[in-house]
Amino acid sequence: MRLTDAELSARKRRNVWIAGALVAFIVLIFLTTFLRMQRNLAERKAMQAGVVAEAPR
């Protein structure tokens, strides 16, 4: 069974959209993870600074 030119171009368009959606999802997961890690690092630094500041008392 051979596909027509219209069917081939429709399949190619679908594949491009699927690839774009997959890349967008990966970027979303990466950014979410990166931002959460940044927030956790900032909280850890603030916590350690608080512990260090309280130690001499």
Side-chain angles (χ1 to χ4, degrees):
M1 177 174 155
R2 298 194 65 119
L3 298 177
T4 65
D5 289 338
E7 291 171 331
L8 287 173
S9 65
R11 179 170 39 175
K12 184 175 181 178
R13 258 192 324 274
R14 273 194 309 271
N15 288 341
V16 168
W17 278 104
I18 290 170
L22 183 59
V23 168
F25 178 71
I26 291 169
V27 168
L28 177 67
I29 296 299
F30 172 77
L31 287 176
T32 302
T33 303
F34 180 76
L35 292 174
R36 288 179 64 124
M37 286 176 61
Q38 290 294 104
R39 186 179 66 202
N40 288 341
L41 285 173
E43 287 177 6
R44 182 188 299 172
K45 285 181 184 179
M47 205 168 160
Q48 287 176 346
V51 170
V52 172
E54 292 177 11
R57 289 183 189 178

